[in-house]
Amino acid sequence: MTKKRKELLVVLILILFLITGGISLHQHKINVQAKEAKKIETEIKKALATAKYNVKELYINDDYQLLSESISKVKITKAEDSLNVLNEFNLTKSNEMELKNYSQRLASAKKMYAIQLSIHNKFTNEKITSDDVEFSKEEKELSSLNKSHPLFVKTVTDSIEQSKSQLAVKKELNLFFEDLDKLNVKESISRTDYDKLKEKIDSLTSEPFKTSLVEALKAIQTALEDKELKEKEEQNATLEKERQESEKKDKEEAEKEKVSSTKTDASTVKKPIQDKLDTTISPEKPEQQDGIEGLIARTSTSKLTHQIISVVATGSSATVSLFEKNGEQWQTVLTVPGRVGYNGVGSAYEGSGRTPKGVYSLGFAFGTGQNPGTNLAYRQITNQSYWISNPGDAQYNTWQERSSSSSLDEHMSDYQTQYQYGITLNYNNGVNGGSAFFIHVNGKGATAGCISVSQSDMLYLMQRIREGAYIINVTSQSELVNY
């Protein structure tokens, strides 16, 4: 082998070595890059999973509609940090879309949390912190979430409405006081206004807020009781004065009759004894009654019946009494507290909230169970029993059995407590003149126009009342004589 061939062979070997080494080095580099890429891919997957978990922790469930009860600024910051980590990577389009999705959910959570926190800061233990709280800013922010988070918007809107109800109640409550902080109640308050306010308070869901009003409501109730007691004393004084004047007048008339009877007519003296014997002797007048029995005795209604129920109302509260005629005298059989319409006793029409003023005969009895022993005609309520209160119905103000009826009609089986026992009033004031007026068992407060008493008192009335009884609804005892 020549020298040149040896040199060429050496060069070829060196070239082959370099090529082989270069290939190995390139392959090594590729392997290193692949491992690095796989490591980065693993880190991205881990970062995405962490971001997903942290964002999901801000919500109550997988639909990302409502915030978790445990959401906090710390958790929001944690979610933000986990998303920021992903910004350091070169992401694929798929990963970028996933990151964008988590970022949007985080942004929504931050916005909802800010609204929720803003509202929460206006309350202490579910009670509004000020009488001039307003929610215009929060409501404006909520409007931008209507499409993306309707459930959250509805939940928070309901909360705001409850808050506004609290504000309205506090504003209305202030009207009852000269000074609410000192609980100085105004003299002009009425039982009707108080009952309306109490109904609004009872409809609220915040028990802490209701509890915060207990002392104020107790002060109003005490003031009303004092006022009603004073009015009752004044009424009794008026009745006593009327009674004394009536007695005085009766005595004067009796004296006149006595003087007149002692005067002897000359022609009468000359009449034969037989004529005197033939003279008709007038029966004795019944003894004059006083008190409320005397008022009942002087009513026109007392000539028509032997049983009268009187309902003397002050606001939506009333005294309910049953009177029966024994011989020529009227006696009080029962006197109990009761309730009437939330607008008291007066001119009634559909939706007026008043118990109709005046005298009405009593109709049939009814109830949710079998006849409890009443002497009146009796009807048992079924699931198809409706009292028609729709003015557009030809059977307005009557009891009907139907498979369904207008929402304006009263589905009687819905009132299992109130209608356990009841008696109808024969009231008819034409279409839209008012419907479904009964005596029934007490509910939670004032009625919509009926008269209500306790369950035991209602059962007593059911068993005591006979056909032909009447009821008189008035606002003062002195008015009874007008009926």
Side-chain angles (χ1 to χ4, degrees):
M1 182 179 290
T2 64
K3 185 177 180 180
K4 281 187 175 182
R5 284 185 176 183
K6 286 181 179 181
E7 290 175 349
L8 180 62
L9 182 61
V10 170
V11 169
L12 288 171
I13 291 171
L14 286 172
I15 290 171
L16 182 63
F17 178 77
L18 289 171
I19 289 171
T20 304
I23 290 171
S24 298
L25 184 63
H26 180 68
Q27 186 62 46
H28 175 72
K29 186 177 181 180
I30 289 173
N31 290 338
V32 169
Q33 288 177 341
K35 286 182 179 179
E36 187 67 26
K38 190 172 183 180
K39 180 181 178 183
I40 292 172
E41 184 181 350
T42 302
E43 289 179 358
I44 290 173
K45 285 183 178 179
K46 184 178 179 181
L48 282 170
T50 301
K52 180 180 180 181
Y53 176 81
N54 289 338
V55 171
K56 190 176 178 181
E57 278 285 281
L58 305 178
Y59 291 88
I60 200 167
N61 51 33
D62 292 342
D63 64 5
Y64 297 96
Q65 278 291 312
L66 295 176
L67 296 177
S68 168
E69 292 182 2
S70 63
I71 189 173
S72 65
K73 288 184 179 180
V74 172
K75 286 191 174 184
I76 289 175
T77 301
K78 187 177 180 181
E80 284 179 325
D81 291 343
S82 64
L83 292 178
N84 288 335
V85 169
L86 286 163
N87 290 326
E88 298 175 3
F89 295 101
N90 290 322
L91 303 175
T92 64
K93 285 187 177 180
S94 174
N95 289 338
E96 284 179 351
M97 288 297 295
E98 197 171 351
L99 175 60
K100 183 179 179 181
N101 188 21
Y102 298 152
S103 297
Q104 288 175 342
R105 287 173 178 169
L106 173 61
S108 295
K110 288 173 67 177
K111 191 169 189 177
M112 290 190 287
Y113 180 67
I115 294 171
Q116 196 168 276
L117 188 62
S118 177
I119 293 173
H120 177 76
N121 288 338
K122 294 176 180 180
F123 288 80
T124 300
N125 193 23
E126 296 186 41
K127 296 179 289 185
I128 49 176
T129 55
S130 171
D131 292 347
D132 58 357
V133 171
E134 56 90 26
F135 302 92
S136 57
K137 180 182 176 182
E138 291 83 359
E139 288 173 328
K140 185 177 180 180
E141 292 291 329
L142 280 172
S143 63
S144 65
L145 295 168
N146 272 327
K147 290 183 179 179
S148 59
H149 295 81
L151 188 57
F152 175 79
V153 172
K154 182 181 184 306
T155 302
V156 176
T157 299
D158 289 345
S159 175
I160 289 175
E161 290 305 313
Q162 280 290 328
S163 306
K164 288 180 177 179
S165 296
Q166 288 189 22
L167 289 170
V169 164
K170 282 293 291 292
K171 186 176 181 181
E172 192 169 334
L173 184 67
N174 274 314
L175 298 177
F176 284 78
F177 292 88
E178 299 289 353
D179 187 332
L180 179 56
D181 293 332
K182 296 181 180 179
L183 298 180
N184 293 335
V185 182
K186 291 180 179 178
E187 293 182 1
S188 59
I189 61 171
S190 72
R191 174 69 67 175
T192 301
D193 291 338
Y194 172 76
D195 288 339
K196 288 181 181 178
L197 174 66
K198 191 67 169 59
E199 285 183 7
K200 291 178 182 177
I201 292 172
D202 291 341
S203 70
L204 297 176
T205 57
S206 173
E207 292 302 326
F209 178 72
K210 292 181 185 179
T211 302
S212 72
L213 304 181
V214 168
E215 290 302 318
L217 295 178
K218 190 182 294 184
I220 297 173
Q221 183 68 22
T222 300
L224 279 170
E225 290 172 355
D226 291 343
K227 181 180 179 181
E228 289 164 358
L229 179 61
K230 184 178 179 182
E231 289 175 349
K232 188 173 182 180
E233 289 173 348
E234 290 174 352
Q235 289 175 2
N236 289 338
T238 300
L239 289 173
E240 180 61 22
K241 185 178 179 181
E242 290 176 354
R243 185 188 69 78
Q244 291 176 357
E245 290 176 351
S246 177
E247 283 185 352
K248 183 179 179 183
K249 185 177 179 181
D250 290 343
K251 286 181 181 179
E252 289 174 351
E253 290 178 354
E255 287 296 327
K256 288 180 182 179
E257 289 178 3
K258 185 176 180 181
V259 171
S260 176
S261 65
T262 57
K263 294 181 179 179
T264 306
D265 186 90
S267 58
T268 303
V269 174
K270 294 179 181 178
K271 283 186 178 181
I273 294 176
Q274 186 62 43
D275 287 348
K276 292 182 181 180
L277 294 174
D278 291 340
T279 301
T280 302
I281 300 174
S282 300
E284 290 185 8
K285 292 175 65 177
E287 182 183 344
Q288 183 71 32
Q289 289 187 268
D290 55 16
I292 191 170
E293 291 86 354
L295 295 176
I296 293 295
R298 297 205 296 274
T299 63
S300 300
T301 308
S302 67
K303 310 297 188 296
L304 306 174
T305 182
H306 283 73
Q307 286 184 317
I308 293 175
I309 293 176
S310 75
V311 179
V312 181
T314 301
S316 63
S317 296
T319 299
V320 180
S321 302
L322 171 62
F323 303 93
E324 291 183 355
K325 195 173 185 179
N326 184 6
E328 294 297 326
Q329 301 291 303
W330 282 89
Q331 296 177 342
T332 303
V333 177
L334 179 72
T335 296
V336 295
R339 302 303 296 269
V340 292
Y342 55 80
N343 281 327
V345 167
S347 177
Y349 51 86
E350 199 64 49
S352 67
R354 295 192 190 94
T355 300
K357 190 173 185 178
V359 57
Y360 305 94
S361 60
L362 295 179
F364 61 86
F366 63 89
T368 55
Q370 295 182 350
N371 189 335
T374 181
N375 294 308
L376 302 173
Y378 184 80
R379 295 187 70 168
Q380 185 171 345
I381 292 172
T382 72
N383 195 42
Q384 295 186 323
S385 301
Y386 290 88
W387 196 280
I388 310 305
S389 297
N390 176 11
D393 195 308
Q395 293 174 312
Y396 178 74
N397 198 24
T398 62
W399 176 316
Q400 298 296 325
E401 293 291 322
R402 298 176 175 179
S403 58
S404 63
S405 199
S406 166
S407 60
L408 298 175
D409 300 332
E410 192 168 282
H411 190 213
M412 301 185 73
S413 62
D414 290 345
Y415 303 92
Q416 292 292 311
T417 298
Q418 293 92 324
Y419 292 168
Q420 183 178 3
Y421 307 118
I423 302 174
T424 62
L425 274 64
N426 290 325
Y427 171 91
N428 188 347
N429 196 27
V431 175
N432 206 41
S435 60
F437 292 109
F438 317 130
I439 313 173
H440 62 66
V441 177
N442 280 333
K444 291 184 178 180
T447 71
C450 294
I451 301 100
S452 69
V453 294
S454 72
Q455 181 192 55
S456 58
D457 292 331
M458 191 63 224
L459 177 59
Y460 179 83
L461 289 174
M462 288 272 282
Q463 296 172 339
R464 186 89 181 192
I465 294 294
R466 301 185 296 275
E467 296 285 347
Y470 282 78
I471 187 168
I472 304 176
N473 304 322
V474 291
T475 55
S476 68
Q477 278 191 11
S478 58
E479 291 181 321
L480 288 170
V481 293
N482 298 330
Y483 300 98

